Amino acid sequence: MRMNNILLLAIAEVVYGTPPAMTGADAVQTSNLKIMPLEGSTVPWKRDRPAYGDDIQFHVETHVAVEFDCALAGSGTLGTAPGWGKLLVACGCAETIVAVTSVKYKPNSASTDSIAMKFYLDGQLHALSGCKGTWSIKMDSQGIPFLHFRFIGLWTDPASEANPGSLTGWNLFQTPKPVTFDNTAPINLHSYDAVLRNFSFEQGNTLEYCDNPGEQLVDIVGRESKGSVSILAPVLSDKNYFTAAKANTLGNLKTEHGTAAAYLVFFEAAGTRAQLLQPKYGEYKGRATLDANLSFVPTTTLDDEWELRLAAA
């Protein structure tokens, strides 16, 4: 089998754990796709014997995990969900579509949405159902921006199955643009426009696989959204991030990537939601950078600590 002949399909489930039929229209355009085909743990039997030797172990909590990247770009049509939108929904995000205007994704603690997946390795199929996951953003200057996904799902016996033809689902994924001066706006961090070196965000879902008499499911049982940022360090008279961090100040964060309106992607923690943690100096081409960890804190409204938005502005 050829390891470079891999493919992923994904489709939203109507009934949890019941995979709908999938075709090439459900193909996901991925990078760095990998599967962990038999996750879980083992329980040893350890029978008493009058001699040395190991004993049988039983696989329990058997499930499957999948990880991959999707290039971060708008759908190409305002008010149309991108190909990766269904993945965010299965990661505990609420999707709000305004026709011809915008698509927004925000945290949704009450989410029960799930997806089914098919992972093909050169005609060998590993199928998952009841999948839920978590995601992150990676934006490095001079690099391609990516969404990274990690899903776990219910086990299905692997089998040989030919790849589906006509991968029309890839049409929902647009060609990305590198993170550069021409394609990316300065990051606005605590109401200051800064030169961006890199930005990362992790949704931080806690995923649990549960296998007990009477239940078999994947559940999202918590969320702590974190991140990190590296910017060219401003002079302290312009912006003093050290005093802001020491005072535990919460502020805004906004990134904007893309050029044409239908491809723009915004990540925003508006108002007082983003906290800088332990900022320190770094170095880039002989110039000082300010590097810090980030925490994203909801207000009393809840489920509002960040938003990923596809819109013209």
Side-chain angles (χ1 to χ4, degrees):
M1 293 184 293
R2 294 163 293 175
M3 286 299 296
N4 61 352
N5 188 348
I6 53 177
L7 172 68
L8 185 70
L9 309 183
I11 190 171
E13 293 182 334
V14 177
V15 178
Y16 181 81
T18 303
M22 283 180 256
T23 68
D26 304 303
V28 178
Q29 194 173 84
T30 63
S31 299
N32 304 311
L33 174 61
K34 63 179 70 172
I35 188 169
M36 286 61 74
L38 206 163
E39 296 286 273
S41 56
T42 58
V43 177
W45 193 355
K46 295 296 183 184
R47 289 173 287 187
D48 296 323
R49 294 172 175 167
Y52 300 139
D54 203 355
D55 209 336
I56 189 171
Q57 299 185 49
F58 298 96
H59 284 91
V60 295
E61 295 188 325
T62 300
H63 61 278
V64 185
V66 173
E67 292 190 31
F68 56 92
D69 297 329
C70 289
L72 181 60
S75 68
T77 304
L78 289 173
T80 297
W84 39 264
K86 59 187 175 185
L87 305 174
L88 292 182
V89 172
C91 291
C93 294
E95 180 183 69
T96 302
I97 298 176
V98 180
V100 198
T101 301
S102 65
V103 183
K104 299 179 181 180
Y105 299 93
K106 297 181 68 173
N108 180 14
S109 296
S111 173
T112 59
D113 291 287
S114 61
I115 57 175
M117 292 181 163
K118 285 187 172 184
F119 173 95
Y120 290 91
L121 171 59
D122 201 7
Q124 313 310 308
L125 170 64
H126 292 263
L128 307 75
S129 62
C131 302
K132 296 183 181 181
T134 189
W135 60 280
S136 57
I137 293 175
K138 186 68 173 174
M139 292 180 65
D140 291 338
S141 182
Q142 311 307 309
I144 296 172
F146 281 105
L147 295 169
H148 178 77
F149 291 94
R150 180 179 182 271
F151 285 93
I152 62 177
L154 308 183
W155 166 275
T156 300
D157 288 344
S160 295
E161 180 177 299
N163 297 353
S166 187
L167 305 179
T168 56
W170 283 0
N171 297 333
L172 299 175
F173 295 81
Q174 302 302 320
T175 302
K177 289 183 177 293
V179 178
T180 64
F181 177 85
D182 289 332
N183 301 325
T184 313
I187 188 171
N188 188 272
L189 183 60
H190 283 213
S191 302
Y192 178 84
D193 281 339
V195 175
L196 176 67
R197 283 293 303 141
N198 57 66
F199 166 71
S200 69
F201 165 80
E202 295 183 7
Q203 184 191 20
N205 282 345
T206 301
L207 302 173
E208 294 290 352
Y209 174 74
C210 302
D211 184 353
N212 300 297
E215 71 164 3
Q216 187 184 51
L217 57 86
V218 178
D219 203 5
I220 299 173
V221 298
R223 181 186 70 246
E224 292 185 3
S225 296
K226 309 288 186 183
S228 65
V229 67
S230 178
I231 59 176
L232 289 189
V235 296
L236 298 178
S237 57
D238 286 344
K239 186 65 178 182
N240 193 326
Y241 285 112
F242 299 99
T243 56
K246 185 176 183 297
N248 305 312
T249 303
L250 297 176
N252 74 303
L253 181 150
K254 182 180 181 181
T255 67
E256 175 185 342
H257 179 70
T259 51
Y263 299 90
L264 283 173
V265 179
F266 300 83
F267 178 86
E268 185 169 12
T272 55
R273 294 171 174 83
Q275 182 180 8
L276 273 73
L277 302 172
Q278 299 174 316
K280 55 182 65 70
Y281 286 118
E283 186 265 342
Y284 167 69
K285 292 188 176 181
R287 295 185 291 171
T289 62
L290 184 139
D291 307 332
N293 292 323
L294 299 166
S295 180
F296 297 89
V297 182
T299 70
T300 54
T301 302
L302 304 179
D303 283 345
D304 64 351
E305 62 263 44
W306 48 261
E307 176 181 87
L308 187 63
R309 182 174 72 255
L310 282 63

